[in-house]
Amino acid sequence: MKLTHIAAGIAVAFVATSANADRLVIKGSDTLGAKLIPQLAEQFKAQHPGTTFDIAAEGSTTGIAAIIDGTAQIGAASRRAKPAEVGAASSKGINMKPTIVAYDGIAVIMNAGNPIKGLTKKQVEQIFTGDVTDWSAVGGAGGKISVYTRNTSSGTYSDFKELAMKKRDYAGSSQKLAGNEQIAAEVGKNKNGIGYVGLAYTKAGGIKVMPIDGSLPSVQTVHAKTYPYARPTFYYTNGEPSGVAKEFLDFTISAAGQRIAAQVGFVPIP
């Protein structure tokens, strides 16, 4: 979990009373909230003195829930809201409005010392579902595979399950971690490790990104959808945003905001 100047009580009080129109509460995706949103916020504050941000990067599920229960003006998500979430929102009179703010490629990462040069989509599915448990089965030197995944509140956890695993369950032995940076750190330390991270987290030490059927995640392959694990990322709001929430959303998708997204490692909106 990553927090910036936040106490849950303050966030709830703000949304309930709107006492300070220059305080923006954003909850949700670690993929967006650990790096991109804080950098966007710093630039936004430079142009809008007096604006303060409460950023909680705890997973896409928490961001969508925060829009439903009114504890944030923006819910960041690396996945689309599920029908049950849209239904829960509708029952409370909440209109779950998604805005695509950048694109991402979920990169499959291995320890830099692993001799394997690439994987097929089928091999990725077999590894993360537990059908294959030893590196020798996919052309490696041998050794028990250590699978690292995000936790169940993560949009990346859900997206990867759908994009790479045919919606099958993760291996029972997989280790669930809270964020992209934690997965990269564990894979970097474990010669038998494998995991996945957003593009913005692929520069960590001790890891390498695997080509999947010969394709690496990049601006070109994500835009062309030739990389198999490409996906959009979102801000959710209750209908059309207003005030500082609208200003920040507009800044995010502006040319200046998209330049920051590209610098962080995301794929800008075409």
Side-chain angles (χ1 to χ4, degrees):
M1 181 178 75
K2 296 178 175 63
L3 300 177
T4 303
H5 308 143
I6 185 164
I10 292 174
V12 173
F14 160 71
V15 177
T17 65
S18 295
N20 179 355
D22 291 329
R23 179 179 290 273
L24 181 56
V25 180
I26 303 174
K27 296 184 179 180
S29 166
D30 171 82
T31 300
L32 291 168
K35 287 187 176 183
L36 177 57
I37 292 175
Q39 292 197 32
L40 289 166
E42 286 304 309
Q43 185 62 42
F44 186 86
K45 285 190 291 185
Q47 300 171 8
H48 301 77
T51 303
T52 57
F53 286 79
D54 290 345
I55 302 168
E58 301 170 319
S60 298
T61 298
T62 65
I64 291 169
I67 298 302
I68 296 172
D69 63 26
T71 58
Q73 298 115 298
I74 292 175
S78 61
R79 63 167 174 83
R80 293 188 182 276
K82 299 174 182 177
E85 293 167 327
V86 174
S90 181
S91 70
K92 291 187 172 185
I94 303 296
N95 174 22
M96 295 286 289
K97 183 179 187 299
T99 301
I100 294 175
V101 295
Y103 287 84
D104 190 21
I106 306 174
V108 177
I109 57 170
M110 288 185 190
N111 184 276
N114 193 316
I116 292 175
K117 303 297 184 185
L119 293 170
T120 66
K121 288 188 289 185
K122 182 62 177 177
Q123 288 171 330
V124 171
E125 177 190 343
Q126 290 172 325
I127 289 169
F128 281 89
T129 58
D131 290 345
V132 165
T133 59
D134 194 281
W135 285 115
S136 60
V138 289
K144 185 179 179 181
I145 299 172
S146 297
V147 175
Y148 297 97
T149 80
R150 294 289 306 283
N151 59 32
T152 56
S153 66
S154 159
T156 307
Y157 177 95
S158 300
D159 275 353
F160 193 78
K161 189 173 181 178
E162 181 166 343
L163 292 169
M165 299 164 58
K166 299 178 181 175
K167 300 184 179 181
R168 297 173 62 195
D169 289 334
Y170 285 91
S173 60
S174 62
Q175 301 175 62
K176 295 178 175 63
L177 301 175
N180 290 274
E181 291 172 333
Q182 290 92 327
I183 289 179
E186 290 302 318
V187 172
K189 292 187 293 187
N190 183 349
K191 66 182 178 64
N192 289 320
I194 187 171
Y196 52 73
V197 295
L199 268 177
Y201 304 88
T202 57
K203 304 302 182 186
I207 66 170
K208 63 181 181 180
V209 178
M210 282 290 99
I212 308 300
D213 284 337
S215 178
L216 282 167
S218 69
V219 172
Q220 292 75 24
T221 61
V222 168
H223 276 166
K225 298 182 180 179
T226 55
Y227 182 69
Y229 312 139
R231 43 83 180 270
T233 64
F234 305 90
Y235 287 170
Y236 275 89
T237 54
N238 178 11
E240 291 293 334
S242 60
V244 69
K246 174 175 171 50
E247 292 177 356
F248 185 71
L249 186 153
D250 288 346
F251 172 70
T252 299
I253 62 177
S254 72
Q258 292 296 291
R259 280 195 296 271
I260 294 171
Q263 290 165 4
V264 171
F266 286 82
V267 176
I269 301 167

